[in-house]
Amino acid sequence: MKDKVVVCAYHNVGYRCLEELLRQGADVRLVFSHEDSPTEEIWFKSVRDLAARHGIPCLTSSVNTPQNRELLAELAPDFLLSFYYRDMITTEVLALAGRGALNMHGSYLPRYRGRVPINWAVIKGETATGATLHYMVEKPDAGDIVDQQRVEIAFKDTALDVFNKVTDAAVTVLRRSWPQLVEGSAPRVPMDLSAGNYCGGRKPEDGRIDWNLSAVEIYNLVRGVTHPYPGAFTTLAGHRLLVWQAFPAEGTGEPGRVVSTQPLLVGTGNGLLELRRLQLDGAAELCAADFVAATPCRGELLA
């Protein structure tokens, strides 16, 4: 008899990992996902649609509700698997999985435990991250590691570029690990939390640019929160100005001061930042040349 599996999943990682489980013939009895937020750009695939195509019941109420705990207790799953599910799963729910509850995390643990690990890795200028399958415990992203796959972060990669690499890595990890989990031969490597770090979630307001930082640090912020995320921003003449694309350049200038318009260069705490794609609140996104033609800004101070 096959192991009974319950999957908590959302986003592309959730879609691709559920797809891989089904490809391997896993007996997925129930899926928990989320309603799409009306304030979020929905650029990723739908776990609910995938479950529906395979005739698998899918609930968008939290897996932690008393009713859903009762449902899981009756189902008595062997495995509970979490793939980019956004709710912290309680220990009471985790205990209902007879053979274990596991999570696929978007970093090379123990580095970047917590929320939005891919964005944080890009913002912090990391050159590598990864995907990690680990057992879930009460503390987030802290249980024994089953398998990991490292991916490189190129200097020009945006968070979306890295997210796509990590998604592929997550599927690779699951493809290797699922047969071992079923057989009972999967490794369990204790996580050394002292060797890692924990990061909290990010809000759109966290994208505000501090021009006293170096050009490279600001560039990392821009590429870490650019499309499809809310974007990095500054203020020009009292109006919010989104910076969707930029690149560091050599030179000096007062932090936040526009020192050139061809190309569009702004001073920082160390070096210059070339702004390449911009958008004033309520206006269209423009390349730098078109933006300068429409909005003369030489000598302006951005804040």
Side-chain angles (χ1 to χ4, degrees):
M1 182 180 294
K2 287 184 179 180
D3 290 302
K4 293 179 289 185
V5 182
V6 171
V7 173
C8 299
Y10 192 61
H11 220 286
N12 281 353
V13 171
Y15 185 100
R16 292 280 306 282
C17 286
L18 175 58
E19 191 175 51
E20 174 61 22
L21 279 179
L22 296 172
R23 187 192 70 79
Q24 292 200 37
D27 183 12
V28 180
R29 298 289 185 92
L30 180 62
V31 171
F32 288 92
S33 193
H34 300 289
E35 296 289 342
D36 295 331
S37 170
T39 62
E40 183 176 359
E41 183 178 348
I42 307 301
W43 52 273
F44 40 85
K45 292 183 177 180
S46 170
V47 168
R48 283 190 294 171
D49 288 350
L50 178 60
R53 288 200 299 275
H54 288 267
I56 303 168
C58 182
L59 302 176
T60 56
S61 52
S62 173
V63 69
N64 298 313
T65 67
Q67 296 91 333
N68 287 334
R69 285 204 308 272
E70 290 179 12
L71 180 62
L72 287 175
E74 292 173 7
L75 181 59
D78 296 287
F79 288 100
L80 174 65
L81 302 175
S82 174
F83 306 129
Y84 220 82
Y85 191 65
R86 292 180 172 180
D87 293 346
M88 275 291 297
I89 302 176
T90 65
T91 54
E92 292 83 2
V93 172
L94 299 180
L96 296 174
R99 299 190 63 192
L102 298 99
N103 174 60
M104 185 72 73
H105 186 70
S107 79
Y108 201 83
L109 290 172
R111 296 284 291 162
Y112 293 95
R113 296 168 51 237
R115 301 287 187 177
V116 292
I118 294 170
N119 302 82
W120 275 118
V122 175
I123 291 167
K124 294 296 184 181
E126 300 288 354
T127 58
T129 187
T132 303
L133 183 65
H134 67 94
Y135 283 89
M136 287 186 280
V137 294
E138 182 177 8
K139 185 177 289 188
D141 310 319
D144 294 350
I145 293 172
V146 173
D147 195 7
Q148 298 179 282
Q149 180 75 28
R150 189 181 297 272
V151 300
E152 293 185 0
I153 301 176
F155 188 65
K156 290 187 178 181
D157 279 346
T158 67
L160 179 58
D161 295 327
V162 180
F163 185 89
N164 290 335
K165 293 180 184 181
V166 169
T167 302
D168 289 341
V171 175
T172 297
V173 167
L174 189 62
R175 186 171 296 147
R176 288 194 301 242
S177 301
W178 181 244
Q180 295 177 317
L181 287 165
V182 171
E183 292 167 4
S185 61
R188 291 188 66 149
V189 180
M191 199 181 307
D192 180 7
L193 298 185
S194 67
N197 62 315
Y198 181 86
C199 294
R202 292 185 62 83
K203 305 180 295 295
E205 187 63 26
D206 295 329
R208 180 178 291 278
I209 295 170
D210 178 358
W211 293 103
N212 292 301
L213 297 177
S214 70
V216 170
E217 289 174 305
I218 299 171
Y219 164 69
N220 288 337
L221 172 65
V222 170
R223 69 193 181 107
V225 297
T226 191
H227 298 303
Y229 303 102
F233 67 93
T234 186
T235 302
L236 173 64
H239 298 282
R240 178 179 290 223
L241 176 65
L242 287 156
V243 179
W244 292 113
Q245 188 180 52
F247 204 77
E250 294 183 356
T252 59
E254 178 188 353
R257 182 74 66 184
V258 177
V259 300
S260 166
T261 56
Q262 293 183 347
L264 182 54
L265 295 171
V266 181
T268 74
N270 184 7
L272 299 175
L273 188 70
E274 180 186 348
L275 309 187
R276 294 182 173 179
R277 294 197 66 82
L278 308 99
Q279 182 180 14
L280 276 174
D281 257 357
E285 180 181 337
L286 299 171
C287 68
D290 290 343
F291 180 82
V292 168
T295 313
C297 55
R298 185 175 179 87
E300 286 278 2
L301 184 64
L302 306 180

